[in-house]
Amino acid sequence: MNSPATRGRHGRSRKAPRGRSRFRLPMRYLLPTTFLVALLAMLMLRGYVHNEILADHRVRGADRTTRVPDDVRDGGPVIDVRSGDAETLRVPDRRIVLTFDDGPDPVWTPKVLDKLKEYDAHGVFFVTGNMAARYPGLVERMVAEGHEIGLHTFNHPDLSYQSTARIDWELSQNQLALAGAAGIRTSLFRPPYSSFSYAMDNTSWPVTEYIGSRGYLTVVNDTDSEDWKRPGVRAIVERATPKDGKGAIILMHDSGGDRSQTVAALDTLLPDLKERGYTFTRLTTALDAPSAHTPVTGFALWKGKAFVGAVAVSGRVTGVLVVGLAVIGVLVLARFGLMLLLSFLHARKVRRRDFSWGPPVARPVSVLVPAYNERACIEATVRSLAASEHPIEIIVIDDGSTDGTADLVEAMRLPRVRVVRQRNAGKPAALNNGIRHARYDIVVMMDGDTVFEPATVRELVQPFGDPRVGAVAGNAKVGNRDSLIGAWQHIEYVMGFNLDRRMYDVLGCMPTIPGAVGAFRREALDRVGGMSEDTLAEDTDVTMALHRDGWRVVYTENARAWTEAPESVQQLWSQRYRWSYGTMQAIWKHRRAVVERGPSGRFGRVGLPFVSLFMVLAPLLAPLIDVFLLYGLVFGPTGKTVAAWFGVLVVQAVCAAYAFRLDKERMTHLISLPLQQILYRQLMYVVLLQSWITALTGGRLRWQKLRRTGAVEAPGGSSGPRPRPVDAGSVSDRSPDRRPYV
């Protein structure tokens, strides 16, 4: 855990050369920030094309008509004010222009196109930019099959409410999507919520004038099928049929809801009107005018393709992330439920009056304290061990400290305390050196910044009464919990670590013996080769190795150890970066357990998936919760978003409260839980992402030595009684719960 360590296998890191600029933006910040910004940008783009951002659903009612020219109100459905003078046009007799609004739709547009193709008919599709960007293949098919395309704005707002800048934006974005989808521009435009020319009023007419000044031909209709009301196939056909052989621009829809009646109506309308001598044609063909389409080339074309491509990428990525988040959410909630159930069963089992691991363990044990520059903490650590109620020998392995750690321990002149000095070689080497010097067959390991309660060693070694037990995990607790970051780690230790360990104990797949408080059967260590230097998480590595060798690894809640947690974000990042990267290394090292048989295979098919999913993969997606929360608060269904987030928070609070109750901790620290879930999660995300990057790029992570303050005191003060003789033959009664001053 908070272990003394080297900054490299052969020594500490070099200092930066003088004169060279040391400022650089750390990749651990740059890459995660870039990823989150990219994700937020994709969410914004997705929201934009799904009418969740910049959407305006207001629709203005009828207004007076005093400003609308009489020629327009009494004229045809095609309004041309491009030259400044208003002119209207009608479709000649026996010619029909079928127009379809609001598409393309992935379900109904292909069916409409199929019907038009079946009856050799053409029409005009007034597409919205957001739909065209999402389904560019359908726009391309429309053009390829000879249909005409018109603009219907990008987000379908009522333009009478919009400024000229917003109107220009709607048109340009609509053209951009059209260019990316089919490589064309169009001069046809139909305003959203428009109907007949005689319905023009003082609010819609200025918009039509402005649209004309931008070079567009405004197309309304003179025959409304009212298919959007879904009145039935017969009613749609009757309303769409022109009277007395006149030409018509018929309004229909290929998107915006269930258009099955529209498709069925085409099956009747098209053959019936053809038999009466009507032709179904494009608008410009009906008016004997040049095509409304203009090819787009050069930068404009690539800009359109880039936009459509970005929409496709954002849709796919966010879709996958939403599905992934939903899956992870279900798994996490299932894990919470399983954790509560199994933790309850574990506590119920070990707290029974008749529960016993086996014969009481009273024989002496060896306690190893690896130390590297731990002068601020080591005295409290050793004195807490000296107060132990169990017979022990204390071995402090000084790993090349430069601050006088070893001298300080020797100056204490405590009996049964030995100092072993070695050149700086790292924590695993220090522990293996300590094992070689240990006299007893049970070895307790702790960190140099940790203090034990008097009963800790006694409680820690009792499970070895079961000969199948190879290692025991103790209850690591945060001593310096007065600061906000300390309180967050306190919640994490009690809920995330110790509640987890109860669950893993019941499942028989404990992934880690904490470096702050753990005990090992020496025989088990010898069989797996001791503490390995292959990974930066030697505690996780050796625990997995013990599982694969067939040993039981268990958790004992009363073996409490108080550790000094990092007190700054930088220190916390350094610690968790090493933990997460080391865990990844250990998982990769023991990956063959998945396909092996026996105890190794059981751990590989139960323990490794649990660790991989909930310690490596799931936390990596945790920031998505906050990103989607922020998005939902601003653009989405705010009420549902807040309810969902609070629902998850309630589940976590229930788990945390239960964990605190099991550990007999005060609930007041849970006040900071909501803030922890928002801020602390981001730090863990940065750590995990950087660990992934380090692993995938083949980088090497060096040990990070955390600065210690010695804030965690030994229980009862800085001085304590001498250790009991190592030949004591009995285990003393349990002492009252005594905690260090923090």
Side-chain angles (χ1 to χ4, degrees):
M1 217 173 69
N2 303 333
S3 60
T6 64
R7 295 185 181 273
R9 185 171 181 179
H10 301 293
R12 292 178 291 279
S13 60
R14 301 176 181 176
K15 295 181 179 179
R18 292 183 179 180
R20 182 180 299 175
S21 174
R22 297 184 180 182
F23 175 79
R24 62 185 179 89
L25 184 62
M27 293 296 287
R28 64 178 178 269
Y29 300 134
L30 177 61
L31 291 176
T33 301
T34 301
F35 178 79
L36 280 180
V37 170
L39 174 61
L40 190 58
M42 285 190 287
L43 272 177
M44 298 287 283
L45 181 57
R46 181 186 181 279
Y48 178 47
V49 299
H50 281 77
N51 273 359
E52 295 171 349
I53 297 176
L54 297 180
D56 187 345
H57 302 291
R58 297 174 297 172
V59 180
R60 194 185 297 275
D63 196 0
R64 294 183 300 171
T65 61
T66 55
R67 297 173 54 189
V68 184
D70 292 338
D71 290 344
V72 171
R73 287 180 50 79
D74 298 333
V78 181
I79 306 170
D80 186 0
V81 291
R82 291 177 292 183
S83 63
D85 296 325
E87 179 185 1
T88 65
L89 303 170
R90 294 185 184 275
V91 174
D93 292 348
R94 299 294 176 180
R95 294 189 185 183
I96 289 180
V97 178
L98 285 173
T99 64
F100 300 91
D101 283 9
D102 300 340
D105 181 275
V107 175
W108 303 112
T109 301
K111 295 179 179 181
V112 169
L113 288 171
D114 289 343
K115 290 301 177 185
L116 296 177
K117 186 175 183 179
E118 179 181 349
Y119 294 104
D120 192 26
H122 295 94
V124 182
F125 288 85
F126 287 96
V127 300
T128 59
N130 58 354
M131 298 297 283
R134 290 163 60 188
Y135 307 107
L138 292 175
V139 180
E140 190 174 23
R141 178 183 170 185
M142 293 172 187
V143 175
E145 294 183 359
H147 303 289
E148 212 155 34
I149 308 296
L151 302 186
H152 201 44
T153 71
F154 192 89
N155 287 120
H156 204 275
D158 185 339
L159 296 182
S160 64
Y161 279 106
Q162 311 306 321
S163 65
T164 55
R166 174 64 185 268
I167 293 173
D168 286 339
W169 174 262
E170 290 286 336
L171 295 174
S172 63
Q173 291 297 105
N174 205 169
Q175 293 282 25
L176 181 67
L178 195 57
I184 62 169
R185 289 178 57 87
T186 183
S187 59
L188 302 182
F189 176 77
R190 172 173 284 169
Y193 309 107
S194 62
S195 57
F196 305 98
S197 58
Y198 64 75
M200 285 282 177
D201 57 27
N202 290 352
T203 55
S204 59
W205 175 244
V207 174
T208 302
E209 288 185 299
Y210 183 75
I211 294 293
S213 71
R214 309 302 291 173
Y216 292 94
L217 200 65
T218 298
V219 182
V220 286
N221 70 87
D222 53 16
T223 305
D224 189 354
S225 69
E226 296 186 356
D227 61 339
W228 56 276
K229 294 181 179 179
R230 303 189 72 245
V233 174
R234 178 178 296 179
I236 293 174
V237 171
E238 288 178 357
R239 294 169 185 174
T241 301
K243 308 302 180 186
D244 303 324
K246 293 184 177 296
I249 295 180
I250 301 174
L251 173 62
M252 306 184 87
H253 297 80
D254 64 327
S255 185
D258 184 354
R259 298 300 175 223
S260 57
Q261 292 184 5
T262 302
V263 175
L266 289 175
D267 229 355
T268 301
L269 184 69
L270 292 173
D272 284 357
L273 292 183
K274 277 198 169 187
E275 287 183 3
R276 299 183 192 182
Y278 283 91
T279 58
F280 296 88
T281 183
R282 294 176 291 270
L283 177 64
T284 54
T285 303
L287 299 176
D288 296 322
S291 173
H293 295 171
T294 304
V296 177
T297 59
F299 176 73
L301 176 62
W302 288 107
K303 183 180 177 182
K305 289 185 177 297
F307 176 70
V308 170
V311 170
V313 170
S314 68
R316 291 190 182 96
V317 171
T318 54
V320 169
L321 289 177
V322 167
V323 172
L325 192 61
V327 171
I328 291 295
V330 171
L331 292 176
V332 168
L333 291 177
R335 174 176 172 266
F336 278 145
L338 184 64
M339 189 165 57
L340 288 174
L341 174 63
L342 297 185
S343 296
F344 170 77
L345 295 177
H346 179 271
R348 184 178 181 183
K349 181 184 76 171
V350 300
R351 292 179 179 182
R352 291 200 317 262
R353 291 186 177 182
D354 61 343
F355 174 76
S356 173
W357 294 100
V361 177
R363 59 188 183 276
V365 301
S366 300
V367 180
L368 308 184
V369 187
Y372 173 71
N373 288 348
E374 298 285 1
R375 185 179 181 88
C377 309
I378 196 65
E379 183 175 359
T381 299
V382 174
R383 289 195 183 279
S384 74
L385 292 173
S388 176
E389 298 172 355
H390 193 88
I392 61 174
E393 67 162 349
I394 304 167
I395 304 175
V396 178
I397 307 98
D398 183 75
D399 187 35
S401 298
T402 59
D403 66 346
T405 297
D407 296 335
L408 178 60
V409 175
E410 290 176 340
M412 294 172 67
R413 298 185 181 281
L414 294 175
R416 304 302 177 186
V417 177
R418 285 187 287 155
V419 176
V420 176
R421 299 174 185 259
Q422 68 177 40
R423 297 183 62 181
N424 184 265
K427 183 181 179 182
L431 289 172
N432 285 329
N433 194 9
I435 293 170
R436 287 191 293 270
H437 284 82
R439 296 191 179 109
Y440 305 110
D441 63 346
I442 294 178
V443 177
V444 174
M445 298 181 184
M446 66 184 299
D447 288 333
D449 64 334
T450 302
V451 296
F452 278 7
E453 295 180 3
T456 298
V457 174
R458 184 194 68 199
E459 296 288 346
L460 191 62
V461 300
Q462 294 312 306
F464 290 108
D466 182 348
R468 299 171 298 171
V469 173
V472 181
N475 188 346
K477 307 182 80 64
V478 174
N480 52 329
R481 61 181 71 170
D482 290 341
S483 65
L484 183 60
I485 194 170
W488 288 348
Q489 293 176 85
H490 173 48
I491 295 172
E492 181 185 29
Y493 272 58
V494 175
M495 175 187 172
F497 295 161
N498 291 332
L499 205 60
D500 264 356
R501 290 191 179 105
R502 297 176 191 272
M503 176 183 69
Y504 286 128
D505 188 340
V506 176
L507 293 176
C509 58
M510 184 87 62
T512 303
I513 297 294
V517 53
F520 299 85
R521 195 181 296 274
R522 188 164 182 170
E523 176 192 355
L525 287 175
D526 290 341
R527 281 172 48 171
V528 299
M531 308 301 290
S532 172
E533 299 183 27
D534 294 341
T535 73
L536 291 178
E538 74 291 329
D539 43 11
T540 301
D541 190 353
V542 73
T543 306
M544 292 182 176
L546 291 173
H547 279 295
R548 297 183 67 189
D549 196 44
W551 293 97
R552 283 190 63 195
V553 179
V554 299
Y555 169 71
T556 177
E557 61 182 354
N558 292 322
R560 290 181 287 269
W562 298 82
T563 185
E564 181 177 342
E567 294 190 331
S568 70
V569 173
Q570 177 62 41
Q571 290 181 339
L572 180 62
W573 181 91
S574 298
Q575 181 195 74
R576 300 311 168 86
Y577 185 15
R578 178 172 63 83
W579 286 6
S580 60
Y581 184 65
T583 299
M584 291 180 186
Q585 289 178 311
I587 292 171
W588 183 253
K589 176 181 177 180
H590 296 283
R591 64 191 183 278
R592 286 193 57 81
V594 175
V595 297
E596 292 176 343
R597 297 181 178 180
S600 181
R602 184 182 184 281
F603 174 75
R605 289 182 285 276
V606 178
L608 282 183
F610 255 92
V611 176
S612 302
L613 182 60
F614 295 113
M615 294 179 66
V616 178
L617 294 178
L620 199 61
L621 294 177
L624 296 181
I625 298 174
D626 302 311
V627 172
F628 282 106
L629 170 65
L630 179 62
Y631 181 87
L633 288 176
V634 179
F635 304 111
T638 304
K640 292 182 180 179
T641 300
V642 172
W645 190 82
F646 271 103
V648 174
L649 183 62
V650 166
V651 172
Q652 292 175 319
V654 169
C655 290
Y658 181 64
F660 270 56
R661 181 175 179 274
L662 286 178
D663 269 22
K664 298 180 174 63
E665 292 286 352
R666 290 181 300 173
M667 298 290 179
T668 53
H669 286 102
L670 292 180
I671 295 175
S672 64
L673 180 63
L675 196 59
Q676 185 215 38
Q677 292 303 304
I678 294 176
L679 300 179
Y680 194 74
R681 186 162 49 215
Q682 310 314 315
L683 177 62
M684 295 301 103
Y685 155 75
V686 173
V687 167
L688 274 170
L689 186 59
Q690 187 64 16
S691 299
W692 271 103
I693 294 168
T694 303
L696 294 175
T697 58
R700 294 184 63 85
L701 177 63
R702 296 179 174 182
W703 280 91
Q704 304 285 339
K705 178 68 180 76
L706 303 182
R707 182 178 62 85
R708 297 303 178 192
T709 65
V712 179
E713 296 287 345
S718 59
S719 62
R722 295 176 180 273
R724 297 183 59 189
V726 297
D727 58 350
S730 63
V731 179
S732 62
D733 295 334
R734 181 176 301 174
S735 62
D737 182 13
R738 299 164 61 196
R739 297 185 178 180
Y741 296 102
V742 297

